[in-house]
């Protein structure tokens, strides 16, 4: 009985570890910037290029293809949570790869027709410009 219990606990630990890895935001730096004096923070207006794909490689959106950067304010809910978290402390010119679990993306409902419910999203992003408001 002890052997079965130990095996079961070990199996549950492995399953939980595998699940928690896929449920976390993954941030990979593809291009670092030397001499970065300004890093993105909550409240900054960011100008980004991005390409978004599903896990199978299907592209669902790209500012690069449109040749039009996407502009938004970081940390105020204008974008999915995976972006609000994954684009913090980024430098102008830096490139990252974000792997965003569905709970930090579009969740179980998805964003039909291009993004199915429960989808993990993969973004290749480049921070072009940071606009920072003067602090009082």
């Amino acid at each position: 009985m002890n052997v079965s219990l130990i095996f079961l606990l070990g199996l549950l630990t492995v399953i939980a570890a595998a699940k928690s890895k896929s449920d976390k935001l993954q941030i990979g730096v593809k291009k670092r910037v030397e001499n970065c004096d300004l890093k993105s923070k909550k409240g900054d207006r960011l100008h980004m290029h991005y390409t978004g794909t599903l896990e199978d490689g299907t592209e669902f959106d790209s500012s690069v293809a449109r040749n039009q950067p996407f502009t938004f304010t970081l940390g105020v809910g204008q974008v999915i949570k995976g972006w609000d978290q994954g684009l913090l402390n980024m430098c102008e010119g830096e490139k990252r790869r974000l792997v965003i679990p569905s709970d930090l993306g579009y969740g179980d409902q998805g964003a039909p027709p291009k993004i199915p419910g429960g989808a993990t999203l993969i973004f290749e992003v480049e921070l072009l410009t940071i606009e920072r408001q003067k602090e009082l």
Side-chain angles (χ1 to χ4, degrees):
M1 184 162 155
N2 282 342
V3 173
S4 296
L5 182 59
I6 291 171
F7 175 76
L8 181 59
L9 289 173
L11 182 60
L12 290 173
T13 302
V14 168
I15 291 170
K19 181 168 175 47
S20 68
K21 180 180 179 194
S22 65
D23 287 347
K24 292 183 180 177
L25 172 65
Q26 297 174 47
I27 302 169
V29 177
K30 306 286 279 183
K31 178 187 171 194
R32 294 194 187 280
V33 174
E34 293 184 29
N35 304 320
C36 175
D37 296 326
L38 182 66
K39 293 187 177 191
S40 61
K41 68 178 186 177
K42 183 178 176 179
D44 286 342
R45 190 153 176 78
L46 304 184
H47 300 259
M48 308 285 306
H49 262 316
Y50 70 90
T51 299
T53 60
L54 302 175
E55 287 181 295
D56 68 2
T58 303
E59 184 177 303
F60 59 82
D61 195 14
S62 176
S63 69
V64 178
R66 290 189 301 275
N67 195 29
Q68 183 176 8
F70 178 62
T71 302
F72 66 98
T73 302
L74 184 62
V76 297
Q78 291 182 353
V79 292
I80 59 175
K81 290 178 184 177
W83 271 41
D84 271 343
Q85 295 174 20
L87 302 179
L88 288 168
N89 298 311
M90 201 168 172
C91 301
E92 290 180 344
E94 185 176 332
K95 294 181 181 183
R96 289 184 180 177
R97 181 176 193 263
L98 306 177
V99 179
I100 302 175
S102 67
D103 64 319
L104 297 178
Y106 294 100
D108 291 337
Q109 73 278 4
K114 293 190 175 186
I115 301 173
T120 295
L121 307 176
I122 301 168
F123 284 95
E124 300 287 336
V125 298
E126 178 181 10
L127 178 53
L128 303 172
T129 308
I130 299 171
E131 288 181 46
R132 178 156 299 157
Q133 300 294 332
K134 300 275 188 219
E135 296 182 13
L136 300 175

